[in-house]
Amino acid sequence: MAFTKILVANRGEIAWRIMRTAKAMGYRTVAVFSDADKEAPHVAFADEAVRIGPPPVGESYLSIDRILEAAHKSGADAIHPGYGFLSENDAFASACESAGLVFIGPPASAIAAMGNKAAAKRRMIDAGVPCVPGYQGDDQSDANLEKEARKIGLPVMVKAAAGGGGRGMRLVEQDGDLLEAIRTARAEALSAFGSGELILEKAVVDARHVEIQVFADAHGNVLHLGERDCSVQRRHQKVIEEAPSPAVNADLRARMGAAAVAAARAIGYRGAGTVEFLLAADGAFYFLEMNTRLQVEHPVTEAITGQDLVSWQFRVAAGERIPFTQQQVRLDGHAIEVRLYAEDAYAGFLPQTGHIDVWRPASGPGVRIDHGMKDGLAISPFYDPMIAKVIAHGATREEARTRLIRALRDTVVLGPTTNRHFLIRLLEHPEFAAGEATTAFIGKHEFPAPEVSEAHWTEAANLLWRASAEKYAPALRGWRNSNPEPTPIRLAADTTERLLHVDGRVVGNALFHIDGDDIVVDLDAHTVRFTDKTYAPPATAAAGSDGKLRAPMDGRIVAIKVAPGDTVARGQTLVVLEAMKIQHQLKAALDAKVESVSVHEGQQVANRTVLVTMATDAPAH
Ligand code: MV4
């Protein structure tokens, strides 16, 4: 039971967070890392670090053999799995035990007991834990499942017994869709989890997701630390978590807490665990599943209980008793957490990769930011693109909420697009502010991409000008005059291009980072990446693949190099356009024959004016 050197089989913010407590308690720490994480702060923070393999998780963080080998090499006598990766893998927990290592987590048998939803539910029903009415039996034939679903009554949820966290789940509202749903859910479950076993449940609509933090020691003590409300989710990815739940009062907390404790007792649990419930609009609650690990969102519970749950994990794993009784658990104030991701929330939540050039996590009263970042660190495509967890604690929900908004506004993250602006909007939304957001919250509101403001464009251009005035030679000529001539700088943000006239004299308070031809500008919590196109060949000049050459910007035609009837080759200059003293050669995008020329030399033209029309042999597409 006793151990002195803990290997953390994880990466990023959670590895760092676990090692902070380990060091504070006097343990030695061992980090593991893949080749993608050599430079990560959690690796530098550890007393020792062991390379476990190449970036893919199967050959590194998910490889039981590599992790055990690293423990052996470093002389670690305990392993903390963190969350994700191997944390809920009962084979890993057993392998640690067999190798004589303390697994800082529940017994393998308790992990296994919750690994199958059907078996888990049967045990929970036996233990008197309220479950959603449904079918969790052995007869998996289509005919039987259809019959059972009709007995339950639509709408029903079809869930993969081996699934979890919403994967392999289907809502059936109409009888005609039932058989198809059963068959596709079974096929999906088989390919995703290696088992086609299904359970059926009455669908509880418009529920909240409320989970109870439990803790158990090896001496028969089991207690709960209140609930977290994780209703604000997107496709089963939690976005905002808070404690306590705006929908739970002391009486409900005591009843849900007792049910969660009963669930943990029923499976001989030890350590930190979370029992997930659906809380229906009528106040009824139902067991969903148990997560047999420490969760991402544990800091909100730590904030309101004043406890370090990782230190509890170490104590319990070392055979000590939980340092508290249920009566001693006090909940103080309110805490809210958001997950800051490298993702484009306004473009389908697409994960982003790239380097975090500047990282300045905010600080302040009640603010905690758990992260594994540093300036220049890459968000690689191999792992979850979470940058940090931002947590705020306050005396009231409103204080926590406003502190969290402040912390997000003050956090500087320049590099790939993040969801920071989106998170602030969620937190500012009246429905969330009122504590009324359910699982439907994100889906039922529109969160369109914000416009790039005039101030963003001006600041980007002026900051570029100031950072490299010599690059814009005409400006230097102007510099010597008493009246500097405005310099044209052409910028692109997404698909919009604009020509701006700057003299470097406008300076606002934007934060920025220049990255090659790009400048990332952070103004009013909205971070925008611009590309300097001043000296790039105009992109739209090559775009005439529809047979029309258009002006890429406002300007004056200084030369026309072709006439109707001419045959032109791709890349051949057709027209020269001058805009802000720069001459742009506008070229043919395709081999073609000129049909007409719509402008004359000396003519002023507006952006996107058709200049030349061509006919091509190739069909238009
Ligand atoms: C449900 C449900 C409604 N009725 N089960 C999603 C995550 C997984 N742990 C279980 N989930 C659900 N199970 C029944 N019988 C609705 C959900 C659900 C959900 C639950 C919590 C938070 C967000 C959710 C979003 C969609 C569906």
Side-chain angles (χ1 to χ4, degrees):
M1 282 282 207
F3 52 90
T4 59
K5 194 171 190 177
I6 302 165
L7 180 145
V8 181
N10 217 293
R11 60 184 299 281
E13 58 93 14
I14 189 60
W16 204 353
R17 186 262 168 276
I18 291 164
M19 288 191 290
R20 271 200 304 275
T21 293
K23 282 193 178 185
M25 292 173 74
Y27 292 109
R28 308 241 339 134
T29 54
V30 181
V32 294
F33 64 96
S34 76
D35 292 335
D37 284 336
K38 271 202 290 278
E39 307 296 330
H42 81 266
V43 177
F45 183 77
D47 296 306
E48 291 168 48
V50 183
R51 176 190 177 273
I52 45 172
V57 290
E59 298 166 73
S60 54
Y61 299 103
L62 272 182
S63 163
I64 294 177
D65 290 346
R66 305 263 173 114
I67 300 284
L68 292 181
E69 200 180 289
H72 180 70
K73 251 196 247 174
S74 60
D77 46 13
I79 295 190
H80 193 307
Y83 49 70
F85 294 135
L86 295 169
S87 61
E88 294 185 272
N89 183 317
D90 61 312
F92 180 58
S94 303
C96 288
E97 274 169 51
S98 309
L101 299 162
V102 175
F103 177 74
I104 300 169
S109 58
I111 299 177
M114 288 298 177
N116 178 292
K117 278 186 193 297
K121 234 180 128 176
R122 291 193 292 259
R123 274 177 95 153
M124 292 302 108
I125 291 167
D126 287 347
V129 177
C131 292
V132 193
Y135 177 75
Q136 48 281 326
D138 289 334
D139 186 346
Q140 292 283 314
S141 66
D142 285 353
N144 185 58
L145 291 179
E146 272 195 288
K147 186 191 83 195
E148 292 291 344
R150 290 188 182 117
K151 217 153 77 184
I152 295 162
L154 299 181
V156 295
M157 286 286 189
V158 182
K159 300 182 176 183
R167 292 177 308 156
M169 207 175 76
R170 269 202 162 51
L171 172 65
V172 183
E173 292 176 293
Q174 290 175 15
D175 198 270
D177 299 337
L178 196 52
L179 186 59
E180 161 87 5
I182 289 167
R183 287 182 172 160
T184 53
R186 183 188 290 122
E188 271 178 28
L190 194 59
S191 88
F193 312 111
S195 157
E197 187 185 355
L198 301 175
I199 66 165
L200 304 171
E201 284 181 352
K202 180 87 189 165
V204 183
V205 295
D206 222 4
R208 281 175 175 262
H209 173 136
V210 176
E211 57 186 34
I212 302 280
Q213 176 72 55
V214 295
F215 237 99
D217 65 22
H219 306 277
N221 302 302
V222 187
L223 54 69
H224 74 87
L225 294 160
E227 78 285 357
R228 293 184 288 260
D229 193 314
C230 310
S231 296
V232 181
Q233 312 202 352
R234 200 200 136 261
R235 300 209 181 146
H236 308 302
Q237 295 288 324
K238 293 172 182 170
V239 179
I240 307 178
E241 301 115 337
E242 62 181 302
S245 166
V248 174
N249 60 23
D251 170 64
L252 181 55
R253 177 172 306 120
R255 287 186 289 122
M256 292 181 81
V261 165
R265 277 196 196 285
I267 57 166
Y269 204 75
R270 192 175 66 230
T274 299
V275 184
E276 275 186 26
F277 294 98
L278 278 177
L279 177 59
D282 64 2
F285 62 88
Y286 307 97
F287 169 87
L288 271 184
E289 54 192 74
M290 180 170 184
N291 299 314
T292 54
R293 61 169 192 274
L294 187 73
Q295 297 203 159
V296 176
E297 59 271 29
H298 74 276
V300 293
T301 299
E302 294 188 322
I304 65 162
T305 59
Q307 300 300 312
D308 178 337
L309 297 189
V310 174
S311 81
W312 283 35
Q313 287 189 295
F314 292 151
R315 287 165 164 220
V316 164
E320 288 181 39
R321 290 168 181 278
I322 293 174
F324 266 63
T325 63
Q326 186 69 62
Q327 289 67 39
Q328 286 173 303
V329 175
R330 288 271 172 278
L331 305 185
D332 164 38
H334 202 101
I336 311 178
E337 170 181 300
V338 289
R339 301 182 185 195
L340 182 63
Y341 267 89
E343 70 180 11
D344 193 343
Y346 301 122
F349 295 87
L350 226 61
Q352 306 287 301
T353 56
H355 291 90
I356 301 283
D357 297 307
V358 182
W359 169 242
R360 301 279 179 278
S363 59
V367 172
R368 164 176 170 182
I369 301 191
D370 282 15
H371 66 90
M373 273 297 135
K374 66 172 183 182
D375 286 358
L377 202 70
I379 303 288
S380 84
F382 298 103
Y383 315 114
D384 182 88
M386 187 162 80
I387 297 168
K389 305 190 296 208
V390 184
I391 306 113
H393 182 213
T396 60
R397 186 173 187 271
E398 191 54 13
E399 187 174 53
R401 189 182 72 91
T402 51
R403 280 179 167 172
L404 186 52
I405 292 168
R406 165 55 48 201
L408 283 168
R409 286 190 171 277
D410 286 352
T411 293
V412 181
V413 51
L414 303 182
T417 299
T418 75
N419 65 345
R420 188 173 64 114
H421 187 271
F422 174 69
L423 292 173
I424 293 170
R425 277 167 93 179
L426 294 180
L427 293 167
E428 285 178 343
H429 197 285
E431 192 172 321
F432 180 80
E436 286 162 3
T438 67
T439 50
F441 176 61
I442 292 180
K444 78 178 184 201
H445 297 288
E446 298 262 344
F447 296 98
E451 293 286 321
V452 176
S453 72
E454 206 49 41
H456 276 90
W457 287 101
T458 335
E459 291 249 347
N462 278 286
L463 288 164
L464 271 175
W465 191 97
R466 287 167 65 88
S468 56
E470 70 280 5
K471 184 170 157 191
Y472 309 100
L476 279 187
R477 283 199 301 278
W479 187 250
R480 294 192 200 96
N481 298 336
S482 51
N483 271 329
E485 289 175 52
T487 306
I489 292 186
R490 197 148 56 90
L491 293 181
D494 261 330
T495 53
T496 311
E497 266 192 41
R498 284 182 57 183
L499 190 67
L500 296 120
H501 309 295
V502 300
D503 57 13
R505 290 188 296 193
V506 178
V507 196
N509 58 354
L511 295 160
F512 70 103
H513 176 79
I514 293 176
D515 174 13
D517 279 341
D518 286 5
I519 180 168
V520 181
V521 175
D522 175 10
L523 192 60
D524 201 22
H526 182 203
T527 311
V528 180
R529 179 176 287 267
F530 295 90
T531 302
D532 183 3
K533 297 274 183 120
T534 308
Y535 296 115
T540 40
S545 49
D546 58 353
K548 290 188 177 16
L549 178 76
R550 292 179 179 79
M553 63 193 76
D554 296 356
R556 192 174 62 90
I557 306 296
V558 295
I560 294 171
K561 308 266 192 183
V562 290
D566 287 1
T567 302
V568 297
R570 177 166 180 260
Q572 183 180 336
T573 298
L574 308 178
V575 173
V576 182
L577 177 92
E578 187 184 85
M580 290 311 295
K581 298 191 182 65
I582 296 167
Q583 296 203 341
H584 300 281
Q585 316 275 321
L586 308 185
K587 297 175 167 148
L590 301 161
D591 296 345
K593 189 167 178 198
V594 176
E595 281 187 343
S596 63
V597 176
S598 334
V599 290
H600 56 83
E601 287 185 2
Q603 184 179 337
Q604 283 290 337
V605 295
N607 189 8
R608 288 195 272 275
T609 303
V610 173
L611 310 176
V612 178
T613 305
M614 291 160 286
T616 60
D617 295 333
H621 53 264

